[in-house]
Each structure stands twice: as structure tokens, then as C-alpha cells.
Amino acid sequence: EVMITINGKSCTAPEGSTILEAARVNNIEIPTLCFLKEINEIGACRMCVVEVEGAKNLVTSCVYPIKEGMEIVTNSERVFHSRKINLELILSTHERKCLSCIRSGNCELQKLCKEFNVDDEDYYNGENCTYEFDDTSVHMYRNNNKCILCKRCVAACSKWQAVGVIGANNRGFKTHIGSAYEQSLGDVPCISCGQCIVVCPTGAIAEKDQTKEVWSALEDPTKHVIVQTAPSTRVTLGEAFNLPIGTNVEGKMVASLRRLGFNQVFDTNVAVDFTIMEEANEFLERVKNDGPFPMFTSCSPGWVKYCEAYHPELIPNLSSCKSPQQMFGALAKTWYADKMKLDPKDIFVVGIMPCTAKKFEVTRDDEAAAGVSDVDVALTTRELARMIEKAGIRFTELADETFDDPLGAATGAGYIFGASGGVMEAALRTASEVLAGHETEAIEFDEVRGMEGIKEASYEMSGVMIKVAVASGIANAKKLIEKIESGEEKYHFVEIMGCPGGCINGGGQPVQPASIRNFVDLKAKRAAALYKEDKGKGLRKSNNSPIVKTVYQEFLGQPGGEKAHQILHTSYHS
Ligand code: HC1
């Protein structure tokens, strides 16, 4: 611990802290715009300036280390004045269409302008660059007129995701975020993960809003509109309504979806149980046939897109299973349609997903079991929150409701899919039982839990040693792939999730400002809510799900059988 003085008050902070961190542990927040812990420590926006005794100029606290006896002032007139000028300068090139901006109300720039009394947003008005709106990709748009050049998106894309398709183009006054040779987003191998969106402080980048399509379907009397909710959305949606991070709002989510007018409110978690049946079976087939190993999971469309674009040689290793979102849609438009005597063309399936790449996934080839798209629209958690707000539903006041039958009751395995390691654990629960040929005790596979980027474990199953690995965030996946391709490591089964920490930290989740992201373990808090739910379930293995048993018996036949293949599996191409 180091002794320092902040605003005249003595305090301590851990050695090696920056001024920003030291202030935070002493409950003083210093504003930032560009700073993102570990990935964007560039001291560029100068919002975090403070006075340090003995230093002539103000210093940027996000990158300035503390030392014994340091005297820091974070709240002087000089500091406030400097921050205000910075804001006015940023505003001078920022498109100030705030009223209808998608981020109005949770824009980091707007919040600071209010805090620092920026009462004349036109103060430094002058010449400006104008940029074209880029809406060429399936899942997002970019409006550089609102960009403040903090480069958080660039850091997320290159450091977390090792994709690096965006960067700063041009120099000086003309600097803007773009891709090489000014290519559009739709023309570069972006993996649609949306990690750039969740770190953007303003409305410069956002998901493509598809709520209009859903409102229209809800109004259309010829449509049977079904909604399915991804595992992690229930533990994040509450954040959009100011509930604490990690609050499980499953019951309120279901109640609000019913009030929005969906004909059936179902759970993607149920489809997870089908995915596990198929994936565990596919894995055991590979064990029998000696490969190809490792088998990679295929439920994260950002990862699948990465694999296709950057590692086509690994396509044979990808599980052929559709994701739970797509399996759900496929079953809704075949088995459920039959049962309800509905024409699949009249069924409209909406996925509520923590993910922007799910918008891309619904447009993929070979995802149309009934001859029409398995899923019609994938909305992000944020889009659902906006629908709920627009409809005037007082979300936090709703009494809990439960999902509809018959696609509403999932096992615990369905819940944990939303966190990194959860797919692996769910698959191991079922695979170990199928391999043994009888019920087994194995339920919790702790080694693959947790928020580390790469996890490894070995399990003995009925005399066979199975070596597994789990990676989340593409930079980690890339490291793991390098080890595999160099022959340094051999695994049987590898789970990869495109976003760091898995879907709980997906690019479609409610946006948390950097002041939270930098100091709170967002991923762990959200994941804990899913594991808690799993633990409380009577049934925790997908193979014990009653609806899974019924649908295989009535309709699909055997896991991995011809019919199951036709409906629940897909194909990939580079
Ligand atoms: Fe996921 Fe999945 S868990 S990919 O992590 O397999 O997005 O939450 O919906 O499809 O179910 C995301 C989450 C999600 C699928 C499932």
C-alpha cells in the first residue's frame, strides 16, 4: 500500500495503481472517455486530467502511476475548466442530434456535458468533416459524425478479438475510424461480434434496429408470432431498467413479452437441450471414428464466421450442429407447426439474443429446415428493452410469469450455455452419461468454469481420457488454435465463444459505461446468476429433459439420425 493525498485527505492505495485506480478505491470517480482497462490505455481524451503537486501541467490520471506521498487534486477549478474545454472541443465535431439518438440517456459524452455544465454546445463551432452513414453490414451501422475518436472500438476489435478490421484512417483533422482503403463494414471480414458497440461511449455505432419488423409481425393477424429468449438475456435485461448487474429477471421478461403481444413465449434454453443431445452424439461418433479432433462447438456465430473467414482449414472440425437459436426455429416450424396445424410460412420466430452476430446467423445458408428461414428476426437484448419502454410497460413492477408449453421448460444445462465453459459442461454432463450407458453422478465440471480466457481440463469417461479446452474472445481462441495447429496441444473437444466471457458479455447486451466496465467484473456477476439458476434445477442434464424425449420419440428419431440431421444440422463454407 502507498500513502497518498487526494483532495487534501490522506489515504492509501495499492502499489502500482494509477491515479485513476487509486481515486476509485477511495470512492472518488474521475471521468474518462477513451480509457478501457488493459486494452485502451492511451491517455488521449484528456478527460481524466488532475493536478499533481510538483507537476507543471495537468496529468492524465488513467496512465499516471501513484507514488508514496503524492498529492493529487481531482476537483479544482483548473481541473474542471480543462475538462469542460475538452468537452466543448469534442462537441465541436460531434453531430449533436441527441434527442432521438439511440444512446440518449446512456451516452457517456452527454452525461459528462451535463456534469461539467457545458451550456453552449456550439462554443467552438466551425468547419467540419461529414461522413457517410455505413449500413452495409447485416448487424450494425456506423455514423462517424458521432464518433469522438476515443478508439475504444478499435481496441476491442484488435485486442479482444484479434480481428482488427477497423482503425484510424487519415491524419489530423480528417482522422476517422474506418477499414483499410476505406472499405465498407460489409466488405471486410468483420465477425459481427458487436464488441465495438458495447464499448462505444456515444451513438457512433449501434446494432441495426429490427424492432420495426417485429412490431409489424405482431400487428399482422395472419402471423403466429413466437419469441424465444437466449440463456443469458434473462440475467442482463434488468440492467436496461437500472436493476443491479446479475439480477435474474426471467419472470418479468416473460411477462413483458406476453404484454408485447407474442402468441407464444418460449425459451431458447429448451433448444439448448436439443443442441446438447446432437452435439454429445456427434462427439461420441468422433470418439468411435477417431476424429476429426478437436471438435469445435458451433453455437457462437461470431466464432463460426471467424473460423470460416480466417481458418477455413478447421471447417471439418466444426460441429455440424445448428446453434440453439436456429434449432429452436427449426423445431418451431416443423414439429411445433405440425402439432398446431400451422403452415410454417405463417409462423414468425423472433430470437431475443445477447448477440449481434445472431442477426447474421439468421441470414446464413442451410438454416431453413421447413423451406423458410428457421428464425425470422434476431433482436438484441437492447432492442427488446427499447420495445418494452416504447410499449410503456413498467418492467420492474411486473409480477413474474412462466414460459409457455411445450417449449418452455429447460434443464439446468440450458442456463449455463450463456457463460464461457457452459457449453462444454452441458455437453460433458450428457456425453459422460451416454458413454457410460447409465446414469452417472457427474454434474459439475468446475475446471471449465470461470472467466479466464483459456481453460483446459482432462476427464476420464468410461475408461477414455477426454482432453478439453475452452476459449472465449477471439484473441484467446487464436492462441488456442495456434497451439493446436503447431501440434503443441491435442484436444478432443474445444468450446469457443466469440465474445470474452461468453454470451453474458455479448455484443448485444445492455451497454455499461466504462466507469463500470473498468472496475466491476461484469462478466462474473452476470455468469454467477446463470450458475445459480442451474444449481436450483431438479433436472440438470439435457438427456433428462421430458420435452427432448417426447420430440425425439414423436418426430426426430435418434440423435444424429437422418431426420435429426436434416432439421438440426447445418453446413459451413469459406
Ligand atoms: Fe448464446 Fe446460444 S448460449 S450462443 O452463448 O448457444 O447469443 O445467451 O443464445 O443460439 O441458447 C448467444 C447466449 C445463445 C444460441 C443458446
Side-chain angles (χ1 to χ4, degrees):
E1 291 280 303
V2 174
M3 282 287 292
I4 51 173
T5 307
I6 303 181
N7 303 335
K9 193 174 175 303
S10 305
C11 52
T12 61
E15 203 176 333
S17 308
T18 60
I19 295 176
L20 179 77
E21 289 162 343
R24 176 79 181 212
V25 297
N26 286 287
N27 293 319
I28 291 174
E29 196 160 309
I30 297 174
T32 59
L33 278 173
C34 66
F35 179 72
L36 263 193
K37 203 171 170 178
E38 283 162 13
I39 65 161
N40 205 41
E41 305 189 345
I42 57 175
C45 74
R46 297 194 63 81
M47 272 313 294
C48 68
V49 289
V50 297
E51 289 187 66
V52 169
E53 176 74 24
K56 195 165 124 248
N57 295 323
L58 297 175
V59 306
T60 43
S61 62
C62 68
V63 288
Y64 205 91
I66 54 164
K67 62 173 198 259
E68 188 68 29
M70 187 181 264
E71 290 179 32
I72 301 155
V73 178
T74 72
N75 61 1
S76 65
E77 269 302 314
R78 185 177 168 212
V79 165
F80 290 161
H81 181 66
S82 171
R83 291 181 189 161
K84 184 175 177 182
I85 291 179
N86 285 340
L87 286 168
E88 286 166 342
L89 286 168
I90 290 170
L91 280 183
S92 72
T93 59
H94 180 75
E95 182 185 75
R96 301 182 289 278
K97 284 192 185 160
C98 301
L99 288 185
S100 57
C101 179
I102 197 156
R103 291 292 299 277
S104 188
N106 80 342
C107 168
E108 294 181 41
L109 179 62
Q110 186 182 51
K111 178 170 177 277
L112 292 176
C113 286
K114 188 171 156 227
E115 284 173 9
F116 287 89
N117 309 100
V118 176
D119 43 14
D120 181 4
E121 58 260 36
D122 300 321
Y123 197 79
Y124 288 111
N125 260 3
E127 201 187 319
N128 242 332
C129 298
T130 48
Y131 298 100
E132 267 176 49
F133 204 78
D134 184 347
D135 62 356
T136 53
S137 63
V138 201
H139 67 293
M140 67 179 280
Y141 68 78
R142 177 170 56 217
N143 177 6
N144 265 338
N145 302 304
K146 285 187 179 167
C147 173
I148 61 168
L149 294 175
C150 67
K151 302 206 182 115
R152 279 156 48 167
C153 57
V154 175
C157 188
S158 62
K159 304 260 178 68
W160 283 336
Q161 302 301 64
V163 167
V165 291
I166 49 173
N169 283 353
N170 231 318
R171 289 291 174 270
F173 189 58
K174 292 191 174 149
T175 308
H176 60 274
I177 304 301
S179 298
Y181 306 108
E182 301 295 352
Q183 291 174 94
S184 313
L185 275 171
D187 294 328
V188 294
C190 157
I191 61 163
S192 306
C193 70
Q195 285 297 309
C196 53
I197 301 172
V198 282
V199 298
C200 180
T202 70
I205 41 182
E207 67 283 358
K208 269 198 184 157
D209 187 304
Q210 292 185 284
T211 55
K212 237 190 192 158
E213 292 165 57
V214 177
W215 288 118
S216 309
L218 289 169
E219 292 253 315
D220 184 344
T222 68
K223 294 277 181 221
H224 183 79
V225 192
I226 295 176
V227 67
Q228 52 155 327
T229 60
S232 67
T233 51
R234 68 208 72 210
V235 298
T236 58
L237 179 63
E239 292 172 31
F241 299 95
N242 297 321
L243 293 170
I245 295 164
T247 308
N248 183 353
V249 294
E250 181 181 289
K252 292 185 196 309
M253 177 177 76
V254 172
S256 61
L257 289 166
R258 222 165 255 138
R259 276 156 190 74
L260 286 173
F262 289 98
N263 298 98
Q264 297 291 337
V265 183
F266 288 144
D267 198 352
T268 313
N269 292 14
V270 174
V272 166
D273 286 327
F274 286 89
T275 307
I276 287 302
M277 294 305 286
E278 291 300 315
E279 203 157 351
N281 176 79
E282 185 182 357
F283 179 64
L284 295 175
E285 282 296 309
R286 292 192 193 209
V287 171
K288 248 190 251 157
N289 302 324
D290 213 17
F293 289 127
M295 181 171 95
F296 287 103
T297 56
S298 58
C299 43
S300 162
W303 148 242
V304 169
K305 203 172 175 191
Y306 177 80
C307 183
E308 289 180 325
Y310 297 83
H311 285 282
E313 76 284 3
L314 293 176
I315 288 177
N317 295 63
L318 275 178
S319 158
S320 62
C321 289
K322 287 180 181 172
S323 74
Q325 166 175 266
Q326 299 302 113
M327 283 199 185
F328 182 94
L331 287 171
K333 293 189 183 183
T334 56
W335 172 77
Y336 175 81
D338 268 3
K339 208 174 168 62
M340 303 294 288
K341 307 213 167 8
L342 290 164
D343 183 335
K345 286 191 199 65
D346 297 331
I347 300 182
F348 193 90
V349 176
V350 179
I352 307 298
M353 297 285 140
C355 175
T356 45
K358 292 279 170 197
K359 289 184 185 291
F360 155 76
E361 187 178 70
V362 304
T363 67
R364 288 184 62 97
D365 295 339
D366 201 9
E367 302 273 355
V372 287
S373 292
D374 290 333
V375 175
D376 295 277
V377 172
L379 295 182
T380 58
T381 318
R382 294 189 290 271
E383 286 166 279
L384 171 60
R386 292 202 293 273
M387 287 184 76
I388 295 170
E389 276 169 2
K390 190 173 184 176
I393 295 166
R394 298 176 66 210
F395 185 80
T396 54
E397 302 302 316
L398 293 172
D400 288 353
E401 292 182 14
T402 54
F403 287 107
D404 289 315
D405 277 337
L407 296 170
T411 69
Y415 286 78
I416 60 175
F417 246 60
S420 160
V423 181
M424 179 60 72
E425 181 168 347
L428 292 172
R429 286 179 188 177
T430 290
S432 59
E433 209 149 270
V434 177
L435 209 56
H438 55 78
E439 264 188 54
T440 62
E441 292 290 300
I443 289 199
E444 293 187 359
F445 293 80
D446 290 324
E447 299 77 7
V448 294
R449 295 187 178 191
M451 287 299 129
E452 306 91 87
I454 298 178
K455 296 166 272 188
E456 296 174 312
S458 296
Y459 299 103
E460 203 215 297
M461 287 182 188
S462 309
V464 187
M465 267 317 261
I466 304 289
K467 198 158 181 214
V468 305
V470 170
S472 68
I474 297 294
N476 291 317
K478 197 176 164 192
K479 275 190 218 151
L480 195 62
I481 289 170
E482 276 161 15
K483 278 195 193 176
I484 292 167
E485 295 203 319
S486 70
E488 187 188 330
E489 287 290 354
K490 286 196 171 20
Y491 304 103
H492 296 96
F493 194 0
V494 174
E495 173 200 306
I496 296 185
M497 282 293 171
C499 293
C503 294
I504 38 116
N505 187 36
Q509 296 285 28
V511 174
Q512 288 290 353
S515 55
I516 302 269
R517 283 190 162 266
N518 288 329
F519 298 102
V520 174
D521 196 346
L522 191 63
K523 300 182 278 220
K525 283 193 168 195
R526 289 170 172 174
L530 290 178
Y531 285 108
K532 185 172 167 217
E533 200 59 31
D534 163 48
K535 205 165 184 113
K537 292 272 165 198
L539 297 176
R540 298 174 71 189
K541 295 182 179 177
S542 301
N543 47 308
N544 293 333
S545 153
I547 185 68
V548 163
K549 289 180 186 163
T550 308
V551 177
Y552 274 102
Q553 241 164 37
E554 279 183 10
F555 180 67
L556 289 169
Q558 287 302 311
E562 201 187 323
K563 184 111 184 231
H565 244 274
Q566 181 207 328
I567 291 171
L568 303 178
H569 290 247
T570 185
S571 49
Y572 310 103
H573 48 79
S574 51

